């Protein structure tokens, strides 16, 4: 889909710039070729982030996070957030070195008063695709301080490809689960031992991997339980042993001891009857709860 004359590219450059220019824009923000910088600022199994500075306006950020589903968020961080909620046209603008190409419509979104601009999902992926094609994703909206005038904010594709390749590789390495998937987890033990069963060991490994790369996880709570067979004192002792073993495990990941809380309940607080193998298996458990600071 293409726009008619109001959004066609003018065949001119401003101050020797190769930025796209729209006919009704009174202000154009975007990096000149010599200013265009894309940088990977986070590259880990739980988060990938690439950033682009827009001179005199703010910062553009694409972020993808560990999850069961592929995801992408874009944030237009403004030095001066919107003073009024506005509808925003998101366009794909050709550069001046693309004679004959026209502006293309990507989406119409909404920027909210006193918030940075935000785009997610398919629209955010479309912006990356346009950048890879050498085009300028451009936000066009009314300037809230000047009635009837417009502002265009462009992301430059110059020097984009290398960082985009790094970003794509990072996304491929993201863990296939999120914090919410492991924040409250119940694991189970083999009969009368302090070893988790095979499936629980695999789940614990997932939790450990997430904790290892997450500096914002500042609390791990461990609550251990046994089934009701055997002497009460022996069950309590076994529960305490399980708790200490897990405490040492999380300390080996670099988590300070004062950020690990343990409580051994023994055979107290059963969640099933103890007169069947299935019920006892449910009761032989540890509940792991993760706390996360906001940074």
């Amino acid at each position: 889909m293409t726009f008619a004359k109001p959004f066609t590219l003018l065949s001119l450059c401003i101050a020797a710039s190769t930025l796209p220019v729209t006919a009704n824009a009174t202000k154009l923000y975007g990096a000149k070729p010599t200013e265009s910088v894309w940088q990977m600022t986070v590259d880990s199994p739980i988060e990938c982030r690439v950033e682009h500075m827009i001179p005199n306006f703010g910062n553009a950020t694409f972020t993808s996070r560990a999850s069961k589903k592929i995801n992408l968020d874009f944030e237009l961080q403004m030095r001066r957030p919107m003073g009024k909620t506005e509808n925003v046209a998101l366009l794909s603008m050709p550069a001046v070195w693309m004679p004959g190409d026209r502006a293309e419509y990507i989406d119409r979104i909404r920027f909210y008063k006193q918030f940075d601009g935000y785009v997610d999902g398919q629209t955010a992926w479309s912006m990356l695709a346009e950048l890879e094609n050498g085009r300028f994703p451009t936000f066009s909206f009314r300037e809230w301080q000047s009635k009837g005038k417009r502002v265009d904010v462009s992301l430059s594709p110059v020097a984009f490809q290398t960082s985009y390749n790094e970003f794509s590789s990072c996304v491929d390495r993201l863990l296939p689960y999120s914090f919410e998937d492991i924040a409250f987890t119940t694991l189970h033990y083999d009969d009368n031992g302090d070893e988790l069963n095979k499936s629980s060991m695999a789940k614990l490994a997932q939790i450990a991997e997430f904790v290892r790369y997450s500096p914002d996880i500042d609390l791990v709570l461990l609550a251990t339980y046994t089934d009701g067979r055997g002497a009460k004192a022996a069950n309590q002792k076994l529960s305490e042993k399980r708790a200490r073993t897990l405490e040492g495990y999380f300390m080996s990941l670099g988590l300070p001891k004062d950020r690990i809380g343990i409580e051994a309940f023994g055979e107290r607080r059963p969640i099933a009857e103890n007169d069947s193998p299935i019920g006892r298996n449910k009761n032989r458990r540890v509940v792991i709860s993760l706390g996360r600071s906001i940074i």
Side-chain angles (χ1 to χ4, degrees), residues 233-260:
N235 286 337
Q236 181 63 33
K237 185 175 181 180
L238 176 59
S239 183
E240 292 170 359
K241 182 180 179 182
R242 290 171 174 173
R244 288 193 298 270
T245 298
L246 285 172
E247 179 187 42
Y249 179 76
F250 281 99
M251 287 177 63
S252 72
L253 301 177
L255 200 66
K257 186 173 183 177
D258 62 0
R259 294 188 178 183
I260 305 172

Side-chain angles (χ1 to χ4, degrees), residues 2 14 20 26 30 35 38 40-41 49 55 57 77 83 104 126 133 141 149 161 182 225 229 253 290:
T2 58
I14 294 181
T26 59
E35 300 172 324
W38 288 88
M40 282 289 296
T41 54
R49 184 183 304 163
F57 185 84
Q77 300 165 332
E104 296 179 357
S126 295
N133 290 333
F141 52 91
K149 296 183 180 180
Q161 192 63 52
I182 61 170
Y225 306 82
R229 291 192 304 176
L253 301 177
L290 305 181

Side-chain angles (χ1 to χ4, degrees), residues 15 22 38-39 49 72 96 106 133 151 163-164 173 264 266 272 283 287:
T22 52
W38 288 88
Q39 182 179 10
R49 184 183 304 163
L72 183 66
V96 295
I106 299 177
N133 290 333
V151 173
S163 291
Y164 180 54
R173 297 191 302 269
N283 290 330
V287 178

Side-chain angles (χ1 to χ4, degrees), residues 200-222:
S200 291
M201 285 295 294
K203 190 69 174 179
L204 180 63
Q206 289 184 340
I207 296 172
E209 191 167 18
F210 205 96
V211 169
R212 185 181 294 114
Y213 293 104
S214 302
D216 57 342
I217 292 180
D218 56 4
L219 182 63
V220 175
L221 298 178
L222 308 169

Side-chain angles (χ1 to χ4, degrees), residues 51-102:
E51 300 187 24
H52 174 63
M53 193 270 289
I54 302 173
N56 302 314
F57 185 84
N59 206 50
T61 304
F62 288 96
T63 305
S64 186
R65 296 179 176 85
S67 176
K68 292 179 179 178
K69 298 181 179 180
I70 296 176
N71 61 90
L72 183 66
D73 295 322
F74 170 82
E75 190 171 7
L76 185 62
Q77 300 165 332
M78 312 178 198
R79 292 180 182 174
R80 186 180 60 205
M82 300 289 287
K84 183 180 179 181
T85 297
E86 290 281 2
N87 289 321
V88 177
L90 175 55
L91 312 172
S92 172
M93 301 297 297
V96 295
W97 57 77
M98 298 176 174
D101 284 4
R102 300 170 65 89

Side-chain angles (χ1 to χ4, degrees), residues 185-187 189 196 222-225 246 284-288:
T185 306
T186 301
L187 307 179
Y189 288 91
L196 293 166
L222 308 169
T224 56
Y225 306 82
L246 285 172
R284 292 192 304 270
R285 69 197 190 277
V286 56
V287 178
I288 302 178

